[in-house]
């Protein structure tokens, strides 16, 4: 009996450690190749690297949370999973906090019915300006001036 079946599987792999991420890619290739060979078949792993996972630093989470609360914003700490965001490339180089800003009046930002509350844009811009100013002051005050940023 001969079977000419093609099976495609898709998924996402995110880790907080790039060495582990590389290990997973190697092991997945070994495992799928081994399973296919054991049944007389063949397999190919097409690995798209994708962005790394965000990895928030507690110090900067606390900093941004306190600054937002002092500015009078309704600040909520949310549980961050292993979100794949371009911001994570920065976090490979320097510690930081990925911040999600919401207005509470719409669907989540990836939902097709999401609506931007334009009244929130100015407050958000002010918050990020305060973060930049306060963050730079924090870096200088903590003698990070020798760090490459």
């Amino acid at each position: 009996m001969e079977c000419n079946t093609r099976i495609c599987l898709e998924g996402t792999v995110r880790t907080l450690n790039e060495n582990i991420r590389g290990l997973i890619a190697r092991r997945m290739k070994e495992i799928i190749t081994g399973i296919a060979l054991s049944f007389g078949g063949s397999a190919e792993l097409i690995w798209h690297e994708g962005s790394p996972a965000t990895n928030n630093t507690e110090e900067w989470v606390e900093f941004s949370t306190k600054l937002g609360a002092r500015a009078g914003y309704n600040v909520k700490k949310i549980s961050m999973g292993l979100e794949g965001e371009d911001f994570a490339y920065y976090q490979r180089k320097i510690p930081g906090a990925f911040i999600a800003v919401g207005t509470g009046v719409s669907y989540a930002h990836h939902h097709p019915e999401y609506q931007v509350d334009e009244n929130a844009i100015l407050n958000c811009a002010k918050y990020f300006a305060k973060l930049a100013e306060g963050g730079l002051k924090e870096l200088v005050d903590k003698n990070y001036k020798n760090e490459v940023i």
Side-chain angles (χ1 to χ4, degrees):
M1 178 175 161
E2 189 169 319
C3 179
N4 293 320
T5 304
R6 179 182 167 114
I7 299 172
C8 297
L9 301 173
E10 292 184 18
T12 302
V13 173
R14 295 194 181 115
T15 67
L16 296 177
N17 181 308
E18 291 302 311
N19 293 329
I20 297 296
R21 193 175 185 192
L23 173 65
I24 290 171
R26 286 190 305 277
R27 290 295 293 140
M28 284 179 70
K29 182 174 184 167
E30 293 168 2
I31 290 167
I32 66 167
T33 301
I35 291 172
L37 285 172
S38 72
F39 287 96
S42 62
E44 175 186 18
L45 174 65
I46 301 171
W47 184 270
H48 301 284
E49 188 67 25
S51 61
T54 55
N55 188 10
N56 288 345
T57 306
E58 189 60 32
E59 174 187 8
W60 290 108
V61 170
E62 288 299 319
F63 173 81
S64 58
T65 300
K66 287 178 185 175
L67 194 140
R70 279 197 309 261
Y73 301 126
N74 181 12
V75 178
K76 296 179 184 176
K77 279 191 182 180
I78 59 172
S79 174
M80 292 294 291
L82 295 174
E83 284 77 20
E85 293 284 344
D86 291 345
F87 185 77
Y89 289 109
Y90 294 117
Q91 290 180 318
R92 282 180 164 175
K93 304 287 183 190
I94 60 172
F98 181 76
I99 299 168
V101 177
T103 62
V105 297
S106 180
Y107 291 90
H109 65 282
H110 288 293
H111 192 280
E113 294 184 42
Y114 171 74
Q115 296 291 314
V116 173
D117 178 0
E118 292 181 5
N119 295 319
I121 294 173
L122 180 59
N123 285 334
C124 184
K126 288 178 182 178
Y127 173 63
F128 279 104
K130 288 179 183 185
L131 274 174
E133 180 182 15
L136 289 170
K137 183 180 181 330
E138 185 80 10
L139 287 170
V140 170
D141 289 351
K142 290 197 172 202
N143 293 324
Y144 284 134
K145 57 188 162 200
N146 295 326
E147 295 286 328
V148 176
I149 297 177

